[in-house]
């Protein structure tokens, strides 16, 4: 079922393991239209677009506070308990990301340091679609809270009943978030970027979404609003040796494949036997899935790769720079130093990706599309900036002065030298 | 000379203190053309564009290693000493930015942590123009080295003699950088993004430049290459009370103004007397500058602002989110907690901006155009990514399992629950 590649050469990697390219032009006209409409007509523009494109008539864009307060009654007890356990772990892990200020005296009289400040206003986009992705709200809002963000706004597409699912409202309630807008798609991003009567403009927009949402975020970024990342289809790369359990791996592959028909799944191994076993198990397991059709579509484009060594498998993974990487090898911990490009790595047979998707504590908002070569997943730092500070005493300026002046003059910026001279010449 | 605003109301801030908007459409055609040419013709494309647009005929794009080696002889001793002092301070400050791995056991059997990895290949663009900005090479290459970047490539426009200024080569030599390309403008960014026979494609592009360079970086970003930031004109905001020395402030304003005719300079104070004095001193000082014309043009668009209190001045600064902020107030250190948006802050009378531009140790590559509301300046972290890792033991998965399954089922992702069950049901 899944295509097997045997010993692909380095020169073939780009061809064999490239991602599907998304044609941006297909969305740009619609995005322009929506941004213009929201810019011009505010709330009315948002409503008009929702009706036209998403066939959703909305009287009020903001979820009433009462709905958030009452959400608890509408969520199953086991789901509430699950959310609380996940919340605790995510909280614990992300609290370790708070950085301390460290003052450095670079030379006598010169002190330099950085202080973190929260981003004041953030907008979190939580996709809807087939199911309420309340786990994404946990993954974005918990680090935002830890960072100290003052104003957290949430936008999520209305469900078929025109409301917001109680699980999302329940998570918002747990985290003390009161401002939720039932708006989806491009219009949600446009509203966060431009602001309307009801929806405030924000400093940074977070959250995944379909190609329209992603293109809208790119557009917002061009207009000067910060964004977390441009998220593409989800990806899993597995490196497994012959000690791996093929059942576990098959389950991981299809759990990734069920995300969407465009999900990317690759398994690399030095054992052809393992590849064949995983393939066979996948065929059986997939039939048990409610989302069988989606997973099948995704798996049909997936790849099993036979390499001559586990080191080669990891090299291929570094080339691909996957969002998720499972290392199902006997020496998984030792191998991790060889990993240079990945979003989140799961070491060992019992570290399944779904642990990190929901409850282990790590963040599931991760770089996709190969951007892991240069970007990291969401963390507390994504909701902060670092401001550098310095104090230079008169003595400090005496020490730095000759250096500043020589460099400024060599760069043809004599005014910069003057700012030093005027201070050192001052007799008062 | 400089326009004075008295007690501007909050509602007027957007109008009075907005930055000039750059019309992107004016560059997009040229950028498309250059990227296409470099994509199609590689090195020859780069050379053709250099000849056509920049009237520069180039036989070889790469600076010979010998030129780097011999650069020391061509640089003045005081400049070399100045560079070494700056290098030491920048190194010392940026070394404090190395983060340690911290393993968190979120619950029994579940360990989560993040490890930093350097970005493998980076391209540093060092603008040329009127003078060789070798200080920018220090500011980018030192944190890159500390981060552990394997391949550092530099591109800089050729000077009038068709070569690269010895100061830039000398800094490269000091830092052990061997790959320098004498290419400027859009074609340099296109080459870093796409790669040619001579210039390798990189994972992330750094460095300031004019509007063409900045737009080219935005274009490269859209094509999937990471960039540091979109740098606009340089900015200085000064908050000063009546204890400030008007001479020092005037020198700071004109040292900022000499950067370019589009530089932004704002002084806010609760003392009208101070504003008038600074204005008068600026008129005198500016005449002594070699770059008088440029500084005059920039100052003519600058603003002196009278506010009713220093707290209001800082609030205005937070609204503006300046690249550089000088706090020339008697209680500068105490006031810093009120600062929420800025790139780099200089506290006290002797902390002139040019100290941070060159030698104190802080980075001078900073967020402009108001992006300081959400972005930070360049640091060691800009040259790294953080990969999250986790190990979950069988016991750990037992603890997480019910939570993962309840959440996965509620989100309609039964395959995710299966990956847990298949592991916990396993008897081997």
């Amino acid at each position: 079922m899944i295509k097997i590649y045997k010993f692909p050469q380095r020169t073939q990697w780009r061809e064999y393991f490239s991602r599907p390219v998304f044609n941006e032009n297909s969305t740009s006209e619609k995005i322009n239209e929506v941004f213009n409409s929201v810019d011009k007509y505010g709330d009315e523009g948002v409503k008009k677009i929702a009706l036209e494109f998403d066939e959703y008539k909305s009287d009020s864009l903001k979820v009433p506070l009462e709905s958030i307060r009452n959400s608890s009654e509408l969520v199953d007890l086991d789901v509430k308990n699950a959310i609380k356990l996940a919340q605790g772990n995510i909280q614990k892990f992300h609290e370790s990301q708070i950085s301390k200020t460290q003052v450095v005296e670079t030379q006598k009289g010169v002190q330099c340091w950085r202080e973190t400040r929260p981003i004041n206003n953030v907008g979190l986009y939580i996709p809807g679609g087939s199911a309420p992705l309340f786990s994404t709200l946990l993954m974005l809002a918990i680090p935002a809270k830890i960072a100290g963000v003052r104003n957290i706004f949430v936008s999520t597409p209305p469900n078929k009943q025109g409301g917001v699912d109680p699980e999302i409202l329940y998570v918002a309630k747990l985290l003390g978030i009161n401002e939720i807008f039932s708006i989806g798609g491009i219009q949600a991003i446009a509203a966060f970027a431009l602001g309307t009567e009801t929806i405030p403009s924000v400093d940074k927009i977070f959250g995944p979404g379909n190609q329209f949402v992603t293109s809208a975020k790119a557009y917002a970024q061009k207009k000067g609003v910060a964004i977390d990342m441009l998220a593409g289809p989800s990806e899993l790369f597995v490196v497994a040796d012959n000690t791996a359990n093929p059942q576990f791996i098959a389950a991981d592959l299809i759990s990734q494949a069920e995300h969407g028909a465009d999900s990317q799944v690759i398994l690399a191994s030095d054992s052809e036997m393992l590849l064949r076993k995983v393939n066979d198990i996948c065929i059986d397991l997939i039939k048990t899935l409610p989302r069988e059709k989606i997973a099948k579509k995704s798996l049909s484009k997936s790849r099993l790769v036979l390499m001559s060594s586990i080191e080669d498998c990891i090299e291929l993974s570094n080339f691909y720079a996957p969002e998720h990487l499972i290392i199902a090898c006997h020496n998984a911990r030792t191998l991790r130093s060889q990993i240079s490009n990945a979003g989140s790595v799961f070491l060992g047979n019992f570290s399944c990706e779904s642990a990190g998707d929901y409850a282990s504590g790590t963040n599931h908002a991760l770089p996709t599309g190969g951007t892991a070569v240069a970007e990291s997943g969401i963390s507390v730092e994504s909701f902060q900036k670092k401001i550098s500070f310095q104090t230079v005493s008169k003595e400090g300026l005496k020490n730095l002065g000759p250096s500043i002046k020589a460099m400024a003059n060599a760069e043809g910026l004599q005014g910069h030298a003057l700012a030093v001279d005027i201070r050192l010449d001052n007799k008062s």
Side-chain angles (χ1 to χ4, degrees), chain A:
Chain A
M1 182 172 65
I2 313 180
K3 189 163 179 191
I4 298 195
Y5 294 83
K6 288 188 190 176
F7 312 111
Q9 295 303 301
R10 190 77 170 79
T11 49
Q12 301 170 305
W13 288 4
R14 193 167 295 275
E15 184 194 340
Y16 290 172
F17 304 103
S18 67
R19 283 127 168 132
V21 176
F22 166 62
N23 178 8
E24 200 197 0
N25 295 333
S26 63
T27 57
S28 64
E29 202 180 316
K30 194 171 168 187
I31 284 167
N32 262 316
E33 184 188 339
V34 174
F35 270 75
N36 285 338
S37 177
V38 173
D39 193 25
K40 213 163 163 185
Y41 305 111
D43 283 351
E44 284 313 310
V46 171
K47 288 179 188 174
K48 197 175 135 266
I49 299 286
L51 190 62
E52 239 171 73
F53 291 166
D54 303 330
E55 296 175 356
Y56 169 68
K57 198 178 170 315
S58 132
D59 296 322
S60 98
L61 299 174
K62 193 169 170 179
V63 175
L65 205 53
E66 216 181 301
S67 305
I68 301 174
R69 286 206 186 113
N70 299 338
S71 59
S72 183
E73 296 158 27
L74 303 167
V75 180
D76 285 347
L77 185 63
D78 65 329
V79 174
K80 283 194 281 194
N81 287 337
I83 287 174
K84 280 184 200 153
L85 181 135
Q87 182 196 7
N89 288 346
I90 298 167
Q91 179 85 22
K92 200 168 173 185
F93 180 59
H94 286 77
E95 272 172 357
S96 76
Q97 295 165 4
I98 299 172
S99 58
K100 287 190 196 83
T101 294
Q102 195 182 343
V103 180
V104 180
E105 189 168 63
T106 52
Q107 55 181 97
K108 193 105 176 82
V110 182
Q111 293 188 317
C112 305
W113 69 97
R114 295 188 302 162
E115 295 185 20
T116 54
R117 292 287 186 280
I119 297 173
N120 288 327
N121 309 291
V122 305
L124 312 182
Y125 184 80
I126 307 299
S130 47
L133 296 184
F134 57 87
S135 62
T136 298
L137 183 54
L138 285 168
M139 294 292 175
L140 297 179
I142 292 174
K145 283 270 166 186
I146 293 172
V149 173
R150 210 181 300 158
N151 303 308
I152 301 176
F153 306 104
V154 173
S155 196
T156 188
N159 58 22
K160 277 171 191 151
Q161 294 77 46
V164 171
D165 283 293
E167 289 85 358
I168 289 182
L169 300 180
Y170 175 71
V171 169
K173 189 189 156 181
L174 266 187
L175 300 175
I177 294 169
N178 296 324
E179 312 228 40
I180 304 183
F181 308 105
S182 53
I183 312 171
I186 305 170
Q187 59 270 32
I189 305 301
F192 276 151
L194 305 166
T196 71
E197 305 91 305
T198 306
I199 305 121
S201 66
V202 299
D203 302 322
K204 190 169 180 178
I205 301 172
F206 292 78
N210 60 19
Q211 289 173 343
F212 288 103
V213 169
T214 302
S215 298
K217 280 170 71 184
Y219 189 88
Q221 185 180 38
K222 249 177 33 185
K223 299 283 165 197
V225 184
I227 62 168
D228 55 346
M229 62 178 83
L230 297 172
S234 193
E235 305 157 355
L236 172 64
F237 197 108
V238 182
V239 174
D241 66 13
N242 60 9
T243 69
N245 184 317
Q247 283 208 305
F248 298 1
I249 293 172
D252 292 332
L253 297 185
I254 70 166
S255 81
Q256 180 62 30
E258 77 175 343
H259 268 295
D262 54 2
S263 288
Q264 306 284 310
V265 177
I266 299 175
L267 164 64
S269 178
D270 58 353
S271 159
E272 187 166 358
M273 172 100 84
L274 181 88
L275 295 177
R276 300 210 170 276
K277 279 185 189 162
V278 169
N279 182 56
D280 295 345
I281 300 167
C282 276
I283 293 172
D284 287 341
L285 274 185
I286 209 165
K287 292 176 192 152
T288 68
L289 278 193
R291 292 165 76 95
E292 182 189 354
K293 263 196 186 160
I294 291 172
K296 256 195 178 149
K297 220 170 174 177
S298 157
L299 274 195
S300 72
K301 294 168 302 168
S302 295
R303 282 144 287 187
L304 304 175
V305 192
L306 182 63
M307 303 292 280
S308 16
S309 70
I310 290 299
E311 282 64 34
D312 282 0
C313 295
I314 293 184
E315 213 188 309
L316 176 61
S317 169
N318 285 335
F319 169 83
Y320 186 76
E323 180 190 17
H324 305 98
L325 170 62
I326 294 179
I327 305 283
C329 299
H330 72 283
N331 57 343
R333 262 191 178 265
T334 322
L335 288 170
R336 78 178 194 285
S337 64
Q338 294 176 32
I339 299 163
S340 58
N341 298 324
S344 196
V345 184
F346 301 76
L347 300 172
N349 275 323
F350 283 88
S351 307
C352 52
E353 191 206 306
S354 50
D357 285 345
Y358 290 113
S360 64
T362 57
N363 209 292
H364 79 197
L366 296 162
T368 54
T371 57
V373 296
E375 312 280 1
S376 316
I378 294 293
S379 67
V380 171
E381 294 128 19
S382 312
F383 295 91
Q384 298 174 322
K385 64 260 182 181
K386 287 190 174 166
I387 301 178
S388 55
F389 284 87
Q390 64 199 278
T391 58
V392 182
S393 67
K394 188 159 188 177
E395 186 191 358
L397 196 59
K398 270 184 194 154
N399 291 331
L400 293 178
S403 177
I404 298 170
K405 285 167 59 183
M407 291 172 77
N409 286 326
E411 287 193 350
L413 296 171
Q414 280 74 7
H416 284 59
L418 175 68
V420 174
D421 278 335
I422 215 164
R423 282 172 165 88
L424 295 181
D425 293 346
N426 186 267
K427 301 294 168 216
S428 64

